Amino acid sequence: MSVIYTRVALIGLGLIAGSMAHAMRRAGLAGEIVGSARSPETRAIAAEIGLCDRITETAAEAVKGADLVVLCVPPGAMGAVAAEIAPHLAQGATVTDVGSVKRDVITQVGPHLPQGVHFVPGHPLAGTEHSGPRAGFAELFDNRYVLLTPEPDTDPAATAKLRALWEGCGARVEEMDADHHDLVLAVTSHTPHLIAYTMVGVADDLRRVTDSEVIKYSAAGFRDFTRIAASDPTMWRDVFLTNKEATLEILGRFTEELFALQRAIRRGDGDHLHAYFTRTRAIRRGIIEAGQDTDAPDFGRVKVKREPTER
Ligand code: NAP
């Protein structure tokens, strides 16, 4: 594949920026990758592992001469970063972001960007519960969706170029209205995370169970909740603060359904439970068929065969 952007500036050097750097390198999509993070520790690690061609102390310095700027900071920090870089952006450059919420990011970032700079918001639907510059890997976006949410007045050529970059990183790209994105993600990601946080919190409250039994007997259900509930607290705090309306809407519906299931259990209404679980099972099949998860037993976890240790 050939170079799509001459100079890409990554602002924030965590899991997503790191994975983008690896994926762009793998396909030779960027002439130069410049990175910047607020803390000296993160910049030092990024330099040590050679994440970017160049690391700068400030975001303002990183964006100079870049034809693509990617904001890879938590959703709540996007506006402040946009204000910092705005006077230093090159004419004709594209600014994008990878934030998990779109409308609020557009509201924060848009007003800071000067005329002649294109803003194409984006969100890769790929991640892990790990953070920081060492967490990134080139395959993160392979076959995963990236949603771009350009506003109606966004230059289609800028969107098309960014689409090509993401496709070069292995992703499938779709365009969507920002509000619709936030509602869809409230259903598929934000509310499920909140439920996982709650379930793990409930278990933690039941001290007599958690002390040892929750860990010792952690079966697939709870164990998978704990993986989700280990996600970055800053990012997820910001997700709920910036996607408030859609999350509250879905949470309201969730609570109603929960009460209905609670009533079915109390009344011994097995038919209701069975019909409900049959419907939900079909959704899992759809996800497997769409290639978005594995149907290997135990979610494809590799069993490590333990050799007896010598004494
Ligand atoms: P991460 O690994 O925690 O990295 C975050 C980066 O942002 C770090 O370099 C951090 O700098 C910097 N940062 C944090 N707070 C900041 C602030 N107030 N001002 C300036 N910089 C700040 O996070 P990530 O997982 O890559 O997430 C980055 C973005 O991707 C978020 O907007 C998130 O919504 C989105 N996203 C995440 C996932 C996921 O699963 N993780 C998936 C899709 C999209 P220091 O290291 O110097 O503190």
Side-chain angles (χ1 to χ4, degrees):
M1 219 167 276
S2 57
V3 169
I4 296 176
Y5 292 97
T6 314
R7 184 180 293 169
V8 177
L10 300 172
I11 310 302
L13 293 172
L15 166 73
I16 300 295
S19 299
M20 281 189 83
H22 290 301
M24 288 189 290
R25 282 237 175 97
R26 180 181 65 176
L29 305 173
E32 185 189 19
I33 302 173
V34 186
S36 182
R38 63 175 177 172
S39 71
E41 292 80 12
T42 299
R43 296 199 296 272
I45 294 169
E48 182 198 321
I49 63 175
L51 199 61
C52 304
D53 300 312
R54 200 152 52 85
I55 305 279
T56 64
E57 269 189 32
T58 65
E61 223 178 305
V63 306
K64 283 182 188 155
D67 48 354
L68 179 68
V69 175
V70 192
L71 308 181
C72 305
V73 298
M78 297 282 182
V81 171
E84 184 193 341
I85 62 170
H88 309 278
L89 292 167
Q91 272 297 301
T94 292
V95 173
T96 186
D97 74 294
V98 294
S100 307
V101 174
K102 296 280 47 93
R103 177 57 64 199
D104 190 82
V105 168
I106 292 172
T107 311
Q108 287 184 59
V109 173
H112 294 292
L113 302 185
Q115 283 284 326
V117 167
H118 309 289
F119 181 33
V120 186
H123 177 204
L125 305 191
T128 73
E129 67 279 26
H130 302 296
S131 317
R134 291 190 201 277
F137 56 100
E139 298 76 23
L140 180 65
F141 309 114
D142 284 351
N143 202 32
R144 308 318 299 264
Y145 281 100
V146 169
L147 302 178
L148 300 180
T149 63
E151 293 286 83
D153 59 352
T154 308
D155 177 10
T159 306
K161 202 168 164 183
L162 185 62
R163 169 189 280 270
L165 180 91
W166 276 116
E167 286 173 351
C169 289
R172 308 182 196 185
V173 179
E174 293 205 353
E175 284 173 44
M176 190 179 277
D177 167 73
D179 295 312
H180 188 64
H181 165 279
D182 290 352
L183 185 63
V184 170
L185 267 291
V187 178
T188 59
S189 170
H190 305 169
T191 311
H193 270 81
L194 197 72
I195 294 163
Y197 280 123
T198 314
M199 194 55 232
V200 176
V202 167
D204 188 43
D205 285 342
L206 291 170
R207 283 276 165 208
R208 71 198 149 82
V209 185
T210 22
D211 274 350
S212 58
E213 284 168 317
V214 163
I215 297 187
K216 186 170 166 192
Y217 300 125
S218 109
F222 184 72
R223 201 175 52 195
D224 291 326
F225 273 139
T226 61
R227 187 186 63 75
I228 297 172
S231 299
D232 185 63
T234 306
M235 168 184 151
W236 284 96
R237 175 201 63 195
D238 285 3
V239 164
F240 296 115
L241 295 181
T242 55
N243 197 20
K244 200 187 262 186
E245 269 178 43
T247 311
L248 289 177
E249 161 70 21
I250 302 306
L251 213 49
R253 287 168 186 252
F254 174 82
T255 314
E256 284 173 22
E257 298 276 314
L258 194 62
F259 279 143
L261 290 176
Q262 201 176 336
R263 194 176 55 223
I265 294 170
R266 183 174 296 119
R267 290 180 177 173
D269 186 351
D271 288 347
H272 180 95
L273 296 174
H274 193 271
Y276 202 94
F277 301 157
T278 304
R279 183 154 67 88
T280 54
R281 193 180 215 187
I283 294 190
R284 174 74 191 159
R285 266 189 232 114
I287 291 170
I288 308 282
E289 278 161 24
Q292 295 301 303
D293 206 351
T294 173
D295 65 350
D298 203 16
F299 298 93
R301 283 190 181 95
V302 181
K303 291 272 180 289
V304 179
K305 197 175 162 213
R306 284 176 195 269
E307 299 295 338
T309 46
E310 284 185 17
R311 288 181 181 253

